[in-house]
Amino acid sequence: MLYTHATIITLNPAREIILDGALLVRANLLAAIGKTQTLKADHPQEEETDLTGRIVIPGLVSTHMHTAQSLIRGAADDLELVSWLCERVWVLQGNYTEADSKAAVRLSIAEMLKTGTTCFLESMFADRYNFDNLCLAVQESGIRGCLGKIVMDIAQYADNPKWSLHPGLVETREMSLLGAVKMWEKWNGAADDRIRVWFAPRTPGGVSDGLYKEMSALSRSHGIPITMHCAEVKADRVFFASVGHTPMSYCEEVGLLGPQTVLVHMVHLDDKDIAKLAETKTHIAHCPTSNAKLASGICRVPDLQKAGVNVGLGTDGAPCNNSNDLMQEMKLAAIIHKAVSYDPTAVPAQNVLEMATINGAKALGLEDSIGSLEVGKKADFVAVDVRSVGMQPWFSPVSAVVYSATGRDVDMVVVDGKVLVKGGKLLTMDEEEIIMEAEKRSKEVVIRAGLVEAVKGSWPMA
């Protein structure tokens, strides 16, 4: 298939942008990239898809999200993290059935695909949700998924016993760590290698030192990557200090740092932490909407980038973002650091687009196959429609994508050479059925959790 007449932002090493460009897809790979006139002349018999009025970018890579949480979108607004977790999110998730989790996963994946995310890193998928159903949803939909299964053995947050995990979410070493290894053996490399299985341990304070060390050893021996929330709120920094550490000195001691690890949020870091991240080539997932909404603070992204740390972008879950739209996340990531630094050049648009594509691919260990549009890489790309009042006029295609576009402007999504979204419509899943099932099951979860009144907000509803 030849995709023609697009403005193509390649994200290749030279960061070339091709006007009136074309992509030739053979099976699941990019076979040629160049000017439309040239590729049409070279391949006169090729079937053609005209992408006039679209900007084509590499498929977006979300380095942090929670697929099970979309079912409770908007159910925990305007709360700080610990109350958000202990009083709402954990209570709701602890009342999930397998069918609820399946509905949530399918809703999350549908939203990600329709808004341009072609690969994502799931963080902390609980055993009660049924990991098999997550893998089956990835297989069905056509998306790429790096799927982190939770690892834990302590049922609280940081060092405060009042911040206890809901009983329905508590897991043992055998259930979590050994269960993750079993899922890795069963699913890693499945769905034409679109599925990768990861370890996703709970935040320090929710995992014993011994279990972290055991998991880290298994990570190295089996090649299983690790993703973990870390230094998200001030309480995390207090916990690390209570055991005589900074965030990164603790992580180094238990074997967590290295190029196979993605640490999430990373708001409360000192200069030594940043230097250690650069030294160990550990990756960061930046989630500005979640951090801002939960008043956790703002990650030191400019300092991390100056130090040479690879930073990707994530939406986090729907209860702390209300969206799985990485297009919207790009805009905030480009703006928020300007506001706090009083520097309009901080984290420019091109850096943010790198975070959402090639940097994310690097964080997931997939930069040789996705993250940029280059011959020989997988055919994962997104066409953004600029033929609308909200997208006109535009002068820089990078600016248009980062500052003007949202997921609603996504017209086409191709993953592994297959068209999954066309004309903004999802082709591989029944969108109407997904919406109906999510609406039904979300209400049932809230009822079982006893939070019907709490989730309504403060204004009267009649």
Side-chain angles (χ1 to χ4, degrees):
M1 175 65 74
L2 194 60
Y3 298 87
T4 60
H5 298 298
T7 297
I8 303 174
I9 306 176
T10 65
L11 270 295
N12 67 12
R15 298 300 189 259
E16 292 175 291
I17 297 173
I18 304 171
L19 303 179
D20 194 19
L23 302 166
L24 177 65
V25 175
R26 288 272 190 264
N28 66 343
L29 299 176
L30 293 169
I33 304 170
K35 290 286 191 178
T36 293
Q37 183 178 358
T38 302
L39 265 63
K40 287 183 72 171
D42 291 345
H43 306 278
Q45 305 303 316
E46 192 71 33
E47 185 180 355
E48 183 179 341
T49 296
D50 189 336
L51 293 180
T52 298
R54 282 80 150 190
I55 298 172
V56 169
I57 60 174
L60 299 179
V61 180
S62 179
T63 53
H64 183 64
M65 74 91 56
H66 297 271
T67 52
Q69 290 187 351
S70 289
L71 211 60
I72 51 175
R73 187 196 318 265
D77 292 336
D78 306 324
L79 298 169
E80 51 77 35
L81 179 66
V82 175
S83 298
W84 179 87
L85 281 172
C86 298
E87 297 171 15
R88 295 286 180 87
V89 172
W90 284 345
V91 178
L92 289 160
Q93 290 182 228
N95 279 280
Y96 272 29
T97 65
E98 278 189 21
D100 297 330
S101 306
K102 182 177 179 181
V105 165
R106 297 182 79 235
L107 180 66
S108 295
I109 290 174
E111 184 184 0
M112 284 192 286
L113 282 174
K114 281 173 63 72
T115 55
T117 293
T118 59
C119 182
F120 70 96
L121 175 56
E122 156 66 43
S123 187
M124 300 202 321
F125 201 80
D127 194 77
R128 73 175 292 126
Y129 303 153
N130 191 333
F131 197 85
D132 287 333
N133 283 341
L134 172 61
C135 295
L136 288 169
V138 170
Q139 190 172 54
E140 167 202 13
S141 67
I143 201 168
R144 292 188 193 281
C146 294
L147 310 178
K149 189 178 184 307
I150 196 167
V151 175
M152 65 165 291
D153 60 352
I154 299 173
Q156 67 184 45
Y157 188 92
D159 61 350
N160 193 330
K162 294 180 180 178
W163 300 340
S164 296
L165 195 64
H166 188 276
L169 295 173
V170 174
E171 298 187 25
T172 62
R173 166 191 172 272
E174 290 71 25
M175 186 185 296
S176 63
L177 178 65
L178 302 188
V181 173
K182 183 187 288 187
M183 289 297 100
W184 178 81
E185 292 170 345
K186 180 177 181 179
W187 285 104
N188 194 63
D192 299 320
D193 203 30
R194 287 185 290 104
I195 293 175
R196 302 291 178 91
V197 178
W198 287 46
F199 287 132
R202 290 192 63 224
T203 306
V207 181
S208 65
D209 290 3
L211 189 57
Y212 274 135
K213 290 176 181 178
E214 183 181 5
M215 180 197 68
S216 297
L218 284 169
S219 171
R220 290 188 292 272
S221 63
H222 288 62
I224 306 175
I226 298 168
T227 185
M228 184 185 76
H229 299 67
C230 189
E232 182 176 2
V233 293
K234 290 180 180 178
D236 293 321
R237 187 91 199 183
V238 171
F239 168 77
F240 289 120
S242 75
V243 292
H245 281 287
T246 71
M248 292 307 96
S249 70
Y250 177 85
C251 288
E252 183 175 42
E253 181 167 288
V254 296
L256 291 169
L257 300 184
Q260 280 202 127
T261 295
V262 176
L263 296 178
V264 184
H265 299 304
M266 300 292 277
V267 172
H268 297 278
L269 304 176
D270 61 26
D271 291 345
K272 290 183 179 178
D273 289 324
I274 291 174
K276 182 59 65 176
L277 288 164
E279 175 191 328
T280 57
K281 301 187 184 330
T282 304
H283 310 280
I284 303 301
H286 179 37
C287 305
T289 299
S290 172
N291 299 152
K293 188 182 178 194
L294 294 173
S296 303
I298 298 173
C299 178
R300 295 172 59 185
V301 169
D303 294 333
L304 287 162
Q305 291 180 331
K306 285 176 187 174
V309 178
N310 182 52
V311 181
L313 197 63
T315 60
D316 208 341
C320 58
N321 185 310
N322 298 66
S323 172
N324 294 311
D325 181 352
L326 203 65
M327 300 284 285
Q328 292 189 58
E329 202 72 21
M330 281 197 287
K331 182 174 182 176
L332 184 59
I335 289 173
I336 198 167
H337 301 286
K338 295 170 171 54
V340 297
S341 67
Y342 300 97
D343 179 4
T345 68
V347 193
Q350 61 267 26
N351 284 18
V352 174
L353 188 55
E354 290 170 338
M355 289 163 63
T357 54
I358 191 64
N359 289 9
K362 182 179 180 181
L364 303 187
L366 300 174
E367 70 272 26
D368 290 339
S369 57
I370 65 170
S372 62
L373 301 176
E374 301 178 67
V375 171
K377 281 196 168 187
K378 295 294 177 66
D380 288 15
F381 60 89
V382 173
V384 179
D385 197 334
V386 295
R387 301 169 300 174
S388 66
V389 293
M391 293 296 297
Q392 289 292 332
W394 62 271
F395 304 99
S396 158
V398 174
S399 172
V401 168
V402 173
Y403 289 125
S404 300
T406 73
R408 292 181 178 88
D409 296 302
V410 169
D411 176 70
M412 177 176 282
V413 176
V414 177
V415 181
D416 218 33
K418 297 180 177 67
V419 179
L420 307 184
V421 176
K422 186 175 183 180
K425 303 296 183 184
L426 190 59
L427 302 183
T428 54
M429 306 172 82
D430 186 336
E431 190 174 341
E432 184 176 347
E433 184 270 331
I434 288 170
I435 293 168
M436 290 176 62
E437 187 73 1
E439 185 176 16
K440 172 186 172 224
R441 294 199 171 275
S442 63
K443 292 175 181 176
E444 293 173 354
V445 169
V446 170
I447 291 169
R448 284 199 300 274
L451 292 172
V452 173
E453 295 303 316
V455 301
K456 287 182 177 178
S458 58
W459 288 0
M461 296 172 63

